[in-house]
Short mmCIF file of all heavy atoms in Angstrom, two decimals:
data_model
loop_
_atom_site.label_atom_id
_atom_site.label_comp_id
_atom_site.label_asym_id
_atom_site.label_seq_id
_atom_site.Cartn_x
_atom_site.Cartn_y
_atom_site.Cartn_z
N LEU A 379 69.46 89.25 68.21
CA LEU A 379 69.50 87.92 67.60
C LEU A 379 69.04 87.97 66.14
O LEU A 379 69.64 87.33 65.26
CB LEU A 379 68.61 86.96 68.40
CG LEU A 379 69.12 86.60 69.81
CD1 LEU A 379 68.09 85.76 70.54
CD2 LEU A 379 70.45 85.88 69.75
N PHE A 380 67.98 88.75 65.86
CA PHE A 380 67.50 88.85 64.49
C PHE A 380 68.50 89.61 63.61
O PHE A 380 68.57 89.36 62.40
CB PHE A 380 66.13 89.51 64.44
CG PHE A 380 65.00 88.60 64.84
CD1 PHE A 380 64.08 88.98 65.81
CD2 PHE A 380 64.87 87.36 64.25
CE1 PHE A 380 63.05 88.14 66.17
CE2 PHE A 380 63.83 86.51 64.59
CZ PHE A 380 62.91 86.89 65.57
N THR A 381 69.24 90.54 64.19
CA THR A 381 70.29 91.22 63.42
C THR A 381 71.38 90.24 63.01
O THR A 381 71.87 90.27 61.88
CB THR A 381 70.89 92.38 64.23
OG1 THR A 381 69.86 93.29 64.63
CG2 THR A 381 71.93 93.13 63.42
N MET A 382 71.73 89.34 63.93
CA MET A 382 72.77 88.35 63.62
C MET A 382 72.28 87.28 62.65
O MET A 382 73.07 86.67 61.93
CB MET A 382 73.27 87.70 64.91
CG MET A 382 74.15 88.60 65.76
SD MET A 382 74.87 87.73 67.17
CE MET A 382 73.56 87.89 68.37
N TYR A 383 70.96 87.05 62.63
CA TYR A 383 70.40 85.99 61.78
C TYR A 383 70.75 86.24 60.31
O TYR A 383 70.45 87.28 59.75
CB TYR A 383 68.89 85.93 61.98
CG TYR A 383 68.19 84.89 61.15
CD1 TYR A 383 68.44 83.54 61.33
CD2 TYR A 383 67.27 85.27 60.18
CE1 TYR A 383 67.80 82.58 60.57
CE2 TYR A 383 66.61 84.32 59.41
CZ TYR A 383 66.89 82.97 59.61
OH TYR A 383 66.25 82.02 58.86
N ARG A 384 71.41 85.27 59.71
CA ARG A 384 71.85 85.33 58.32
C ARG A 384 72.84 86.48 58.05
O ARG A 384 73.01 86.91 56.91
CB ARG A 384 70.67 85.42 57.35
CG ARG A 384 69.84 84.14 57.30
CD ARG A 384 68.81 84.19 56.20
NE ARG A 384 68.13 82.90 56.09
CZ ARG A 384 67.16 82.65 55.22
NH1 ARG A 384 66.74 83.60 54.39
NH2 ARG A 384 66.58 81.47 55.17
N GLY A 385 73.45 86.98 59.10
CA GLY A 385 74.50 87.98 58.91
C GLY A 385 75.84 87.31 58.65
O GLY A 385 76.05 86.14 58.96
N ARG A 386 76.75 88.07 58.07
CA ARG A 386 78.11 87.56 57.85
C ARG A 386 78.95 87.92 59.08
O ARG A 386 79.68 88.90 59.09
CB ARG A 386 78.69 88.17 56.57
CG ARG A 386 78.02 87.64 55.29
CD ARG A 386 78.47 88.41 54.07
NE ARG A 386 77.90 89.75 54.03
CZ ARG A 386 78.28 90.70 53.19
NH1 ARG A 386 79.26 90.46 52.32
NH2 ARG A 386 77.71 91.88 53.21
N ILE A 387 78.82 87.10 60.10
CA ILE A 387 79.37 87.44 61.42
C ILE A 387 80.88 87.23 61.45
O ILE A 387 81.38 86.18 61.01
CB ILE A 387 78.69 86.61 62.52
CG1 ILE A 387 77.20 86.94 62.58
CG2 ILE A 387 79.35 86.85 63.87
CD1 ILE A 387 76.42 86.07 63.54
N ARG A 388 81.59 88.23 61.95
CA ARG A 388 83.03 88.12 62.21
C ARG A 388 83.24 88.03 63.72
O ARG A 388 82.76 88.89 64.46
CB ARG A 388 83.77 89.34 61.67
CG ARG A 388 83.80 89.41 60.15
CD ARG A 388 84.40 90.74 59.70
NE ARG A 388 83.53 91.86 60.04
CZ ARG A 388 83.94 93.11 60.21
NH1 ARG A 388 85.22 93.40 60.11
NH2 ARG A 388 83.09 94.06 60.50
N MET A 389 83.98 87.00 64.14
CA MET A 389 84.13 86.77 65.58
C MET A 389 85.37 87.48 66.12
O MET A 389 86.29 86.85 66.66
CB MET A 389 84.20 85.27 65.86
CG MET A 389 82.88 84.55 65.60
SD MET A 389 81.51 85.23 66.56
CE MET A 389 82.01 84.73 68.19
N ALA A 390 85.41 88.80 65.95
CA ALA A 390 86.46 89.59 66.59
C ALA A 390 86.14 89.74 68.08
O ALA A 390 85.03 89.43 68.53
CB ALA A 390 86.56 90.96 65.93
N THR A 391 87.11 90.21 68.85
CA THR A 391 86.94 90.28 70.31
C THR A 391 85.70 91.07 70.73
O THR A 391 84.97 90.61 71.62
CB THR A 391 88.20 90.89 70.96
OG1 THR A 391 89.35 90.23 70.46
CG2 THR A 391 88.15 90.74 72.47
N PRO A 392 85.40 92.24 70.15
CA PRO A 392 84.17 92.94 70.59
C PRO A 392 82.92 92.09 70.39
O PRO A 392 82.01 92.10 71.24
CB PRO A 392 84.15 94.19 69.70
CG PRO A 392 85.56 94.38 69.25
CD PRO A 392 86.14 93.01 69.13
N MET A 393 82.85 91.34 69.28
CA MET A 393 81.67 90.52 69.02
C MET A 393 81.60 89.34 69.99
O MET A 393 80.51 88.92 70.39
CB MET A 393 81.70 90.02 67.57
CG MET A 393 80.41 89.36 67.11
SD MET A 393 79.02 90.52 67.16
CE MET A 393 77.75 89.55 66.36
N MET A 394 82.75 88.81 70.40
CA MET A 394 82.76 87.70 71.37
C MET A 394 82.17 88.15 72.70
O MET A 394 81.36 87.44 73.30
CB MET A 394 84.18 87.18 71.54
CG MET A 394 84.74 86.46 70.32
SD MET A 394 86.48 86.02 70.49
CE MET A 394 86.39 84.79 71.79
N TRP A 395 82.56 89.33 73.16
CA TRP A 395 81.99 89.85 74.42
C TRP A 395 80.49 90.09 74.27
O TRP A 395 79.73 89.87 75.22
CB TRP A 395 82.70 91.15 74.81
CG TRP A 395 84.05 90.93 75.40
CD1 TRP A 395 85.25 91.11 74.77
CD2 TRP A 395 84.36 90.51 76.73
NE1 TRP A 395 86.29 90.81 75.63
CE2 TRP A 395 85.78 90.45 76.85
CE3 TRP A 395 83.59 90.17 77.84
CZ2 TRP A 395 86.42 90.07 78.02
CZ3 TRP A 395 84.24 89.80 79.01
CH2 TRP A 395 85.63 89.75 79.10
N THR A 396 80.07 90.51 73.08
CA THR A 396 78.65 90.77 72.86
C THR A 396 77.84 89.47 72.90
O THR A 396 76.78 89.40 73.55
CB THR A 396 78.45 91.48 71.51
OG1 THR A 396 79.17 92.72 71.54
CG2 THR A 396 76.99 91.76 71.23
N ILE A 397 78.32 88.45 72.22
CA ILE A 397 77.61 87.18 72.21
C ILE A 397 77.61 86.55 73.61
O ILE A 397 76.61 85.97 74.04
CB ILE A 397 78.23 86.24 71.16
CG1 ILE A 397 77.94 86.79 69.76
CG2 ILE A 397 77.70 84.82 71.31
CD1 ILE A 397 78.61 86.02 68.64
N ALA A 398 78.71 86.68 74.34
CA ALA A 398 78.77 86.14 75.70
C ALA A 398 77.77 86.82 76.62
O ALA A 398 77.23 86.20 77.55
CB ALA A 398 80.18 86.30 76.26
N PHE A 399 77.50 88.09 76.35
CA PHE A 399 76.55 88.84 77.18
C PHE A 399 75.14 88.25 77.11
O PHE A 399 74.43 88.22 78.12
CB PHE A 399 76.54 90.30 76.72
CG PHE A 399 75.21 90.98 76.83
CD1 PHE A 399 74.76 91.49 78.04
CD2 PHE A 399 74.37 91.10 75.72
CE1 PHE A 399 73.52 92.11 78.13
CE2 PHE A 399 73.15 91.71 75.81
CZ PHE A 399 72.72 92.22 77.03
N ILE A 400 74.72 87.78 75.94
CA ILE A 400 73.31 87.44 75.74
C ILE A 400 72.84 86.32 76.68
O ILE A 400 71.88 86.52 77.44
CB ILE A 400 73.03 87.11 74.26
CG1 ILE A 400 73.17 88.39 73.42
CG2 ILE A 400 71.63 86.51 74.08
CD1 ILE A 400 73.04 88.20 71.92
N PRO A 401 73.47 85.13 76.71
CA PRO A 401 72.98 84.12 77.65
C PRO A 401 73.16 84.53 79.11
O PRO A 401 72.32 84.21 79.96
CB PRO A 401 73.83 82.88 77.32
CG PRO A 401 75.03 83.41 76.61
CD PRO A 401 74.57 84.62 75.89
N CYS A 402 74.24 85.26 79.37
CA CYS A 402 74.50 85.71 80.74
C CYS A 402 73.39 86.64 81.22
O CYS A 402 72.85 86.49 82.33
CB CYS A 402 75.85 86.41 80.80
SG CYS A 402 76.38 86.82 82.47
N PHE A 403 73.01 87.59 80.37
CA PHE A 403 72.00 88.56 80.77
C PHE A 403 70.61 87.94 80.82
O PHE A 403 69.76 88.35 81.62
CB PHE A 403 72.01 89.76 79.82
CG PHE A 403 71.40 90.99 80.40
CD1 PHE A 403 72.09 91.76 81.32
CD2 PHE A 403 70.12 91.40 80.04
CE1 PHE A 403 71.54 92.90 81.86
CE2 PHE A 403 69.55 92.54 80.58
CZ PHE A 403 70.26 93.29 81.50
N ILE A 404 70.38 86.94 79.97
CA ILE A 404 69.08 86.25 80.02
C ILE A 404 68.90 85.57 81.37
O ILE A 404 67.84 85.67 82.00
CB ILE A 404 68.97 85.24 78.86
CG1 ILE A 404 68.78 85.98 77.53
CG2 ILE A 404 67.81 84.27 79.09
CD1 ILE A 404 68.84 85.09 76.31
N VAL A 405 69.95 84.88 81.83
CA VAL A 405 69.88 84.23 83.14
C VAL A 405 69.69 85.27 84.24
O VAL A 405 68.86 85.11 85.15
CB VAL A 405 71.13 83.37 83.40
CG1 VAL A 405 71.12 82.82 84.83
CG2 VAL A 405 71.21 82.22 82.41
N GLY A 406 70.44 86.37 84.15
CA GLY A 406 70.29 87.44 85.15
C GLY A 406 68.90 88.03 85.14
O GLY A 406 68.31 88.29 86.19
N GLY A 407 68.34 88.23 83.94
CA GLY A 407 66.99 88.78 83.86
C GLY A 407 65.93 87.82 84.38
O GLY A 407 64.99 88.23 85.08
N MET A 408 66.09 86.52 84.08
CA MET A 408 65.13 85.53 84.57
C MET A 408 65.15 85.43 86.09
O MET A 408 64.09 85.35 86.73
CB MET A 408 65.42 84.17 83.94
CG MET A 408 65.11 84.09 82.45
SD MET A 408 65.75 82.60 81.68
CE MET A 408 64.83 81.35 82.55
N THR A 409 66.33 85.46 86.68
CA THR A 409 66.40 85.42 88.15
C THR A 409 65.85 86.72 88.74
O THR A 409 65.30 86.72 89.85
CB THR A 409 67.83 85.18 88.63
OG1 THR A 409 68.72 86.15 88.04
CG2 THR A 409 68.31 83.79 88.25
N GLY A 410 65.98 87.82 87.99
CA GLY A 410 65.38 89.07 88.45
C GLY A 410 63.87 89.00 88.48
O GLY A 410 63.22 89.51 89.40
N VAL A 411 63.29 88.34 87.46
CA VAL A 411 61.84 88.16 87.46
C VAL A 411 61.41 87.27 88.64
O VAL A 411 60.38 87.51 89.28
CB VAL A 411 61.37 87.57 86.11
CG1 VAL A 411 59.89 87.21 86.16
CG2 VAL A 411 61.62 88.57 84.98
N LEU A 412 62.20 86.25 88.96
CA LEU A 412 61.91 85.43 90.14
C LEU A 412 61.88 86.29 91.40
O LEU A 412 61.00 86.15 92.25
CB LEU A 412 62.97 84.33 90.29
CG LEU A 412 62.92 83.15 89.31
CD1 LEU A 412 64.10 82.24 89.55
CD2 LEU A 412 61.62 82.37 89.48
N LEU A 413 62.87 87.19 91.50
CA LEU A 413 62.93 88.05 92.69
C LEU A 413 61.80 89.08 92.72
O LEU A 413 61.49 89.62 93.78
CB LEU A 413 64.29 88.77 92.72
CG LEU A 413 65.50 87.88 93.03
CD1 LEU A 413 66.78 88.59 92.63
CD2 LEU A 413 65.54 87.51 94.50
N SER A 414 61.19 89.35 91.57
CA SER A 414 60.10 90.33 91.54
C SER A 414 58.81 89.77 92.12
O SER A 414 57.88 90.53 92.38
CB SER A 414 59.85 90.80 90.10
OG SER A 414 59.18 89.80 89.36
N VAL A 415 58.74 88.48 92.31
CA VAL A 415 57.56 87.85 92.89
C VAL A 415 57.67 87.97 94.41
O VAL A 415 58.51 87.32 95.03
CB VAL A 415 57.45 86.37 92.47
CG1 VAL A 415 56.20 85.74 93.08
CG2 VAL A 415 57.44 86.26 90.95
#
Side-chain angles (χ1 to χ4, degrees):
L379 291 174
F380 282 128
T381 303
M382 287 187 274
Y383 179 64
R384 291 188 174 179
R386 290 172 287 170
I387 297 174
R388 290 173 293 155
M389 292 303 291
T391 311
M393 190 62 172
M394 291 174 67
W395 283 102
T396 300
I397 291 174
F399 146 81
I400 292 175
C402 187
F403 201 77
I404 288 172
V405 174
M408 290 169 63
T409 54
V411 173
L412 286 175
L413 290 163
S414 74
V415 181

